[in-house]
Coordinates of all heavy atoms in Angstrom, one line a residue:
M1 N 89.8 121.8 84.7 CA 90.4 121.9 86.0 C 91.9 121.7 85.8 O 92.4 120.8 85.1 CB 89.8 120.7 86.9 CG 90.4 120.8 88.2 SD 89.8 119.5 89.4 CE 88.1 119.5 89.2
K2 N 92.7 122.6 86.5 CA 94.1 122.5 86.3 C 94.8 121.8 87.5 O 95.9 121.3 87.4 CB 94.7 124.0 86.3 CG 94.2 124.7 85.0 CD 94.6 126.1 85.0 CE 94.0 126.8 83.8 NZ 94.0 128.2 83.9
G3 N 94.1 121.7 88.6 CA 94.6 121.1 89.8 C 93.6 120.9 90.9 O 92.5 121.4 90.8
V4 N 94.0 120.2 91.9 CA 93.1 120.0 93.1 C 93.9 119.9 94.3 O 95.1 119.4 94.3 CB 92.2 118.8 92.9 CG1 93.1 117.5 92.8 CG2 91.1 118.7 93.9
A5 N 93.4 120.4 95.4 CA 94.0 120.3 96.8 C 93.0 119.7 97.7 O 91.8 120.2 97.7 CB 94.5 121.6 97.3
I6 N 93.4 118.7 98.5 CA 92.5 118.1 99.5 C 93.0 118.5 100.9 O 94.1 118.1 101.3 CB 92.4 116.6 99.3 CG1 91.9 116.2 97.9 CG2 91.5 116.0 100.4 CD1 91.9 114.8 97.7
W7 N 92.2 119.3 101.6 CA 92.5 119.8 102.9 C 91.7 119.2 104.0 O 90.5 119.0 103.8 CB 92.3 121.3 103.0 CG 93.3 122.1 102.2 CD1 93.2 122.6 100.9 CD2 94.6 122.6 102.6 NE1 94.3 123.3 100.5 CE2 95.2 123.3 101.6 CE3 95.3 122.5 103.8 CZ2 96.4 123.9 101.7 CZ3 96.5 123.1 103.9 CH2 97.1 123.8 102.9
I8 N 92.3 118.8 105.1 CA 91.6 118.2 106.2 C 91.6 119.3 107.3 O 92.6 119.8 107.7 CB 92.3 117.0 106.7 CG1 92.6 116.0 105.6 CG2 91.6 116.3 107.9 CD1 91.5 115.2 105.1
P9 N 90.4 119.6 107.9 CA 90.3 120.7 108.9 C 91.0 120.2 110.2 O 91.2 119.0 110.5 CB 88.8 120.9 109.1 CG 88.1 120.0 108.2 CD 89.1 119.1 107.5
P10 N 91.3 121.2 111.0 CA 91.9 120.9 112.3 C 91.0 119.9 113.1 O 89.8 120.0 113.1 CB 91.9 122.3 113.1 CG 91.9 123.3 112.0 CD 91.1 122.7 110.9
G11 N 91.7 118.9 113.8 CA 91.0 117.9 114.6 C 90.5 116.8 113.8 O 89.9 115.8 114.4
Q12 N 90.6 116.8 112.5 CA 90.0 115.7 111.6 C 91.1 114.7 111.1 O 90.8 113.8 110.4 CB 89.2 116.3 110.5 CG 88.1 117.1 110.9 CD 87.0 116.3 111.7 OE1 86.6 115.2 111.2 NE2 86.6 116.8 112.8
F13 N 92.4 115.0 111.4 CA 93.4 114.1 110.9 C 94.1 113.4 112.1 O 94.2 114.1 113.1 CB 94.5 115.0 110.2 CG 95.5 114.1 109.5 CD1 95.3 113.6 108.3 CD2 96.7 113.9 110.1 CE1 96.3 112.8 107.7 CE2 97.7 113.1 109.5 CZ 97.5 112.5 108.3
P14 N 94.5 112.2 112.0 CA 94.5 111.4 110.9 C 93.0 110.8 110.6 O 92.2 110.8 111.4 CB 95.4 110.2 111.3 CG 95.3 110.2 112.8 CD 95.1 111.6 113.2
L15 N 92.9 110.4 109.4 CA 91.6 109.9 109.0 C 91.3 108.5 109.6 O 92.2 107.7 109.8 CB 91.5 109.6 107.4 CG 91.8 110.9 106.6 CD1 91.8 110.4 105.1 CD2 90.7 111.9 106.8
N16 N 90.1 108.3 110.0 CA 89.8 107.0 110.6 C 89.7 106.0 109.4 O 89.7 106.4 108.2 CB 88.5 107.0 111.4 CG 87.3 107.3 110.6 OD1 87.1 107.0 109.4 ND2 86.3 108.0 111.3
N17 N 89.6 104.7 109.6 CA 89.7 103.7 108.6 C 88.6 103.9 107.5 O 88.8 103.8 106.3 CB 89.6 102.3 109.2 CG 90.8 101.9 109.9 OD1 91.9 102.5 109.7 ND2 90.7 101.0 110.8
F18 N 87.3 104.2 108.0 CA 86.2 104.4 107.1 C 86.5 105.6 106.1 O 86.3 105.5 104.9 CB 84.9 104.6 107.9 CG 83.7 104.8 107.0 CD1 83.2 103.8 106.2 CD2 83.1 106.1 106.9 CE1 82.1 104.0 105.4 CE2 82.0 106.2 106.1 CZ 81.5 105.2 105.3
R19 N 86.9 106.7 106.7 CA 87.2 107.9 105.9 C 88.3 107.7 105.0 O 88.4 108.2 103.9 CB 87.4 109.1 106.8 CG 86.1 109.6 107.5 CD 86.3 110.8 108.3 NE 86.6 111.9 107.5 CZ 87.1 113.0 107.9 NH1 87.4 113.2 109.2 NH2 87.4 114.0 107.1
F20 N 89.3 106.9 105.4 CA 90.5 106.6 104.6 C 90.0 105.8 103.4 O 90.5 106.1 102.2 CB 91.5 105.8 105.4 CG 92.8 105.5 104.7 CD1 93.6 106.6 104.3 CD2 93.1 104.2 104.4 CE1 94.8 106.3 103.6 CE2 94.3 104.0 103.7 CZ 95.2 105.0 103.3
L21 N 89.2 104.8 103.6 CA 88.6 104.0 102.5 C 87.8 104.9 101.5 O 87.9 104.8 100.3 CB 87.8 102.9 103.0 CG 88.6 101.7 103.7 CD1 87.6 100.7 104.3 CD2 89.6 101.1 102.7
L22 N 87.0 105.8 102.1 CA 86.2 106.7 101.2 C 87.1 107.6 100.4 O 86.7 108.1 99.3 CB 85.3 107.5 102.1 CG 84.1 106.8 102.6 CD1 83.2 107.8 103.5 CD2 83.2 106.3 101.5
S23 N 88.3 107.9 100.8 CA 89.2 108.8 100.1 C 89.8 108.1 98.9 O 90.5 108.8 98.1 CB 90.3 109.3 101.0 OG 91.3 108.3 101.2
G24 N 89.5 106.9 98.7 CA 90.0 106.2 97.5 C 91.0 105.1 97.8 O 91.5 104.4 96.9
A25 N 91.4 104.9 99.1 CA 92.4 103.9 99.4 C 91.9 102.5 99.1 O 92.8 101.6 99.0 CB 92.7 104.0 100.9
Y26 N 90.6 102.3 99.0 CA 90.1 100.9 98.7 C 90.7 100.4 97.4 O 90.8 99.2 97.1 CB 88.6 100.9 98.7 CG 88.0 101.7 97.5 CD1 87.9 101.2 96.3 CD2 87.7 103.0 97.8 CE1 87.4 102.0 95.2 CE2 87.2 103.8 96.7 CZ 87.0 103.3 95.5 OH 86.5 104.1 94.5
A27 N 91.1 101.3 96.5 CA 91.6 100.9 95.2 C 93.1 100.5 95.2 O 93.6 99.9 94.3 CB 91.4 102.0 94.2
L28 N 93.8 100.8 96.3 CA 95.3 100.6 96.4 C 95.6 99.1 96.1 O 96.6 98.9 95.3 CB 95.8 101.0 97.7 CG 96.0 102.5 97.9 CD1 96.6 102.8 99.3 CD2 97.0 103.1 96.9
P29 N 95.0 98.1 96.7 CA 95.4 96.7 96.4 C 95.2 96.4 94.9 O 95.9 95.5 94.5 CB 94.4 95.9 97.2 CG 93.9 96.8 98.3 CD 93.9 98.2 97.7
F30 N 94.4 97.0 94.2 CA 94.2 96.7 92.7 C 95.2 97.4 91.9 O 95.4 97.1 90.7 CB 92.8 97.1 92.3 CG 91.7 96.4 93.1 CD1 91.0 97.1 94.0 CD2 91.5 95.0 92.9 CE1 90.1 96.4 94.8 CE2 90.5 94.4 93.6 CZ 89.8 95.1 94.6
K31 N 95.9 98.4 92.4 CA 96.9 99.2 91.7 C 98.3 99.0 92.1 O 99.2 99.3 91.3 CB 96.5 100.7 91.8 CG 95.2 101.1 91.2 CD 94.9 102.5 91.3 CE 93.5 102.8 90.8 NZ 93.4 103.8 89.8
L32 N 98.5 98.5 93.3 CA 99.9 98.3 93.8 C 100.1 96.8 94.1 O 99.2 96.1 94.5 CB 100.2 99.1 95.0 CG 100.1 100.6 94.9 CD1 100.2 101.3 96.2 CD2 101.1 101.1 93.9
R33 N 101.4 96.4 94.0 CA 101.7 95.0 94.5 C 101.7 95.0 96.0 O 101.8 96.1 96.7 CB 103.1 94.6 94.0 CG 103.1 94.4 92.5 CD 104.5 94.0 92.1 NE 105.4 95.0 92.5 CZ 106.4 95.4 91.7 NH1 106.6 94.9 90.5 NH2 107.2 96.4 92.1
S34 N 101.6 93.9 96.7 CA 101.5 93.8 98.1 C 102.7 94.4 98.8 O 102.6 95.0 99.8 CB 101.3 92.3 98.6 OG 102.3 91.5 98.1
S35 N 103.9 94.2 98.2 CA 105.1 94.8 98.8 C 105.1 96.3 98.8 O 105.5 96.9 99.8 CB 106.4 94.3 98.0 OG 106.4 94.8 96.7
K36 N 104.5 96.9 97.8 CA 104.4 98.3 97.7 C 103.3 98.8 98.7 O 103.5 99.9 99.3 CB 104.0 98.8 96.3 CG 105.0 98.4 95.3 CD 106.2 99.2 95.4 CE 107.2 98.9 94.3 NZ 108.5 99.5 94.5
I37 N 102.3 98.1 98.9 CA 101.2 98.4 99.9 C 101.8 98.5 101.3 O 101.6 99.4 102.1 CB 100.0 97.5 99.8 CG1 99.3 97.7 98.5 CG2 99.1 97.7 101.0 CD1 98.2 96.7 98.2
L38 N 102.6 97.4 101.6 CA 103.3 97.4 102.9 C 104.2 98.6 103.1 O 104.3 99.2 104.2 CB 104.0 96.1 103.1 CG 103.1 94.8 103.2 CD1 103.9 93.6 103.2 CD2 102.2 94.9 104.3
K39 N 105.0 98.9 102.1 CA 105.9 100.1 102.2 C 105.0 101.4 102.4 O 105.4 102.3 103.1 CB 106.7 100.2 100.9 CG 107.8 99.2 100.9 CD 108.7 99.4 99.6 CE 109.8 98.3 99.6 NZ 110.6 98.5 98.4
F40 N 103.9 101.5 101.7 CA 103.0 102.7 101.8 C 102.5 102.8 103.2 O 102.5 103.9 103.8 CB 101.9 102.6 100.8 CG 100.9 103.6 101.0 CD1 101.1 104.9 100.5 CD2 99.7 103.4 101.6 CE1 100.1 105.9 100.6 CE2 98.7 104.4 101.8 CZ 99.0 105.6 101.3
I41 N 102.1 101.7 103.8 CA 101.6 101.7 105.2 C 102.7 102.1 106.2 O 102.5 102.9 107.1 CB 101.0 100.3 105.5 CG1 99.7 100.1 104.7 CG2 100.7 100.2 107.0 CD1 99.2 98.7 104.8
S42 N 103.9 101.5 106.0 CA 105.0 101.9 106.8 C 105.4 103.3 106.7 O 105.6 104.0 107.7 CB 106.2 101.0 106.5 OG 107.3 101.4 107.2
L43 N 105.4 103.8 105.5 CA 105.7 105.3 105.3 C 104.6 106.1 106.0 O 104.9 107.1 106.6 CB 105.8 105.6 103.8 CG 106.0 107.0 103.5 CD1 107.4 107.5 104.0 CD2 106.0 107.2 102.0
S44 N 103.4 105.8 105.8 CA 102.3 106.5 106.4 C 102.4 106.6 107.9 O 102.2 107.6 108.5 CB 100.9 105.9 106.0 OG 100.7 106.0 104.6
D45 N 102.7 105.4 108.5 CA 102.9 105.4 110.0 C 104.1 106.3 110.4 O 103.9 107.0 111.4 CB 103.2 104.0 110.4 CG 102.0 103.1 110.3 OD1 100.9 103.6 110.2 OD2 102.2 101.8 110.4
Q46 N 105.2 106.3 109.7 CA 106.3 107.1 110.0 C 105.9 108.6 109.9 O 106.3 109.4 110.7 CB 107.5 106.8 109.1 CG 108.1 105.5 109.4 CD 109.2 105.1 108.4 OE1 109.7 105.9 107.7 NE2 109.5 103.8 108.3
I47 N 105.2 109.0 108.8 CA 104.8 110.4 108.6 C 103.9 110.8 109.8 O 104.0 111.9 110.3 CB 104.1 110.5 107.2 CG1 105.2 110.4 106.1 CG2 103.4 111.9 107.2 CD1 104.6 110.3 104.7
E48 N 103.0 110.0 110.2 CA 102.0 110.3 111.2 C 102.8 110.6 112.6 O 102.5 111.5 113.3 CB 101.0 109.2 111.4 CG 100.0 109.5 112.6 CD 99.3 110.8 112.5 OE1 99.2 111.4 111.4 OE2 98.9 111.4 113.6
E49 N 103.8 109.7 112.9 CA 104.6 109.9 114.1 C 105.3 111.3 114.0 O 105.3 112.0 115.0 CB 105.6 108.8 114.3 CG 104.9 107.5 114.7 CD 104.1 107.7 116.0 OE1 104.6 108.3 117.0 OE2 102.9 107.2 116.0
L50 N 106.0 111.6 112.9 CA 106.6 112.9 112.8 C 105.7 114.0 112.8 O 106.0 115.1 113.4 CB 107.4 112.9 111.4 CG 108.6 112.0 111.4 CD1 109.2 112.0 109.9 CD2 109.7 112.4 112.3
H51 N 104.5 113.8 112.3 CA 103.5 114.9 112.3 C 103.1 115.2 113.7 O 103.0 116.4 114.1 CB 102.3 114.4 111.5 CG 101.2 115.4 111.4 ND1 99.9 115.1 111.9 CD2 101.1 116.6 110.8 CE1 99.1 116.2 111.6 NE2 99.9 117.1 111.0
K52 N 102.9 114.2 114.6 CA 102.5 114.4 116.0 C 103.5 115.2 116.7 O 103.2 116.0 117.6 CB 102.2 113.0 116.7 CG 101.0 112.3 116.2 CD 100.9 111.0 117.0 CE 99.7 110.2 116.5 NZ 99.7 108.9 117.1
I53 N 104.8 114.9 116.5 CA 105.9 115.5 117.2 C 106.1 116.9 116.7 O 106.3 117.8 117.5 CB 107.2 114.7 116.9 CG1 107.1 113.3 117.6 CG2 108.4 115.4 117.4 CD1 108.2 112.3 117.2
N54 N 106.1 117.1 115.4 CA 106.5 118.4 114.8 C 105.4 119.4 114.7 O 105.7 120.6 114.6 CB 107.2 118.2 113.5 CG 108.5 117.5 113.6 OD1 109.3 117.9 114.4 ND2 108.6 116.4 112.8
V55 N 104.2 119.0 114.7 CA 103.0 119.9 114.5 C 101.9 119.6 115.5 O 100.9 119.1 115.1 CB 102.5 119.9 113.1 CG1 101.6 121.1 112.9 CG2 103.6 119.9 112.1
P56 N 102.2 119.8 116.8 CA 101.2 119.4 117.8 C 100.0 120.3 117.9 O 98.9 119.9 118.4 CB 102.0 119.4 119.1 CG 103.0 120.4 118.9 CD 103.4 120.3 117.5
Q57 N 100.1 121.6 117.5 CA 98.9 122.5 117.6 C 97.9 122.2 116.5 O 98.2 121.7 115.4 CB 99.4 123.9 117.5 CG 100.1 124.4 116.2 CD 101.5 124.0 116.1 OE1 102.1 123.2 116.8 NE2 102.2 124.6 115.1
P58 N 96.6 122.6 116.7 CA 95.6 122.5 115.7 C 96.0 123.2 114.4 O 96.5 124.3 114.4 CB 94.4 123.1 116.3 CG 94.6 123.1 117.8 CD 96.1 123.2 117.9
H59 N 95.7 122.6 113.3 CA 96.1 123.2 112.0 C 95.3 122.5 110.8 O 94.8 121.4 111.0 CB 97.6 123.1 111.7 CG 98.1 121.7 111.7 ND1 98.3 120.9 112.8 CD2 98.3 120.8 110.6 CE1 98.7 119.7 112.5 NE2 98.7 119.6 111.2
W60 N 95.3 123.1 109.7 CA 94.7 122.5 108.5 C 95.8 121.6 107.9 O 97.0 121.9 108.0 CB 94.4 123.5 107.5 CG 93.1 124.2 107.8 CD1 92.9 125.2 108.7 CD2 91.8 123.9 107.2 NE1 91.5 125.5 108.7 CE2 90.8 124.7 107.8 CE3 91.3 122.9 106.3 CZ2 89.5 124.7 107.5 CZ3 90.0 122.9 106.0 CH2 89.1 123.7 106.6
Y61 N 95.4 120.4 107.4 CA 96.4 119.4 106.9 C 96.1 119.2 105.4 O 95.0 118.9 105.0 CB 96.2 118.1 107.6 CG 97.2 117.0 107.2 CD1 98.4 117.0 107.8 CD2 96.9 116.1 106.3 CE1 99.4 116.0 107.5 CE2 97.8 115.1 105.9 CZ 99.0 115.1 106.5 OH 99.9 114.1 106.2
L62 N 97.2 119.5 104.6 CA 97.1 119.3 103.2 C 97.4 117.8 102.9 O 98.5 117.3 103.0 CB 98.1 120.1 102.4 CG 98.1 120.0 100.9 CD1 96.8 120.3 100.3 CD2 99.2 120.9 100.3
L63 N 96.3 117.0 102.6 CA 96.4 115.6 102.4 C 97.0 115.3 101.0 O 97.8 114.4 100.9 CB 95.0 114.9 102.6 CG 95.0 113.4 102.4 CD1 95.8 112.8 103.5 CD2 93.6 112.9 102.5
M64 N 96.5 115.9 100.0 CA 96.9 115.7 98.6 C 96.9 117.0 97.8 O 96.1 117.8 98.0 CB 96.0 114.7 97.9 CG 96.1 113.3 98.4 SD 95.1 112.2 97.4 CE 94.9 110.9 98.5
L65 N 97.8 117.0 96.9 CA 97.9 118.1 95.9 C 98.2 117.5 94.6 O 99.2 116.8 94.4 CB 99.0 119.1 96.4 CG 99.2 120.3 95.5 CD1 98.0 121.2 95.5 CD2 100.4 121.1 96.0
G66 N 97.4 117.8 93.6 CA 97.6 117.3 92.3 C 97.4 118.5 91.2 O 96.5 119.3 91.4
V67 N 98.3 118.5 90.2 CA 98.2 119.5 89.2 C 98.4 118.8 87.9 O 99.3 117.9 87.7 CB 99.4 120.6 89.4 CG1 99.3 121.6 88.3 CG2 99.3 121.2 90.8
D68 N 97.6 119.3 86.9 CA 97.8 118.8 85.5 C 99.2 119.0 85.1 O 99.7 120.1 85.2 CB 96.8 119.5 84.6 CG 96.8 119.0 83.2 OD1 97.8 118.7 82.7 OD2 95.7 118.9 82.6
P69 N 99.9 118.0 84.5 CA 101.3 118.2 84.1 C 101.5 119.4 83.2 O 102.6 120.0 83.2 CB 101.7 116.9 83.5 CG 100.8 115.9 84.1 CD 99.5 116.7 84.3
A70 N 100.5 119.8 82.4 CA 100.7 120.9 81.5 C 100.8 122.2 82.3 O 101.3 123.2 81.7 CB 99.5 121.0 80.6
Y71 N 100.5 122.3 83.6 CA 100.6 123.5 84.4 C 101.7 123.4 85.4 O 101.9 124.2 86.2 CB 99.2 123.8 85.0 CG 98.2 124.1 84.0 CD1 97.4 123.1 83.4 CD2 98.1 125.4 83.5 CE1 96.4 123.4 82.5 CE2 97.2 125.7 82.5 CZ 96.4 124.7 82.0 OH 95.4 125.0 81.0

């Protein structure tokens, strides 16, 4: 595998708490310090507010994009 893209269909974003945890967020406290987690939450809230303002129509949402560094 060279890369992966995670797309959320129209009407399914933002993720509810359960789906957010299933996406792997449960591991964040074990990988980040508490100060970094708070910054991540703040950034996520800001992105969601901008998202609501700038893209109000239904659309697919690219949640994550990852590519093997060799590619």
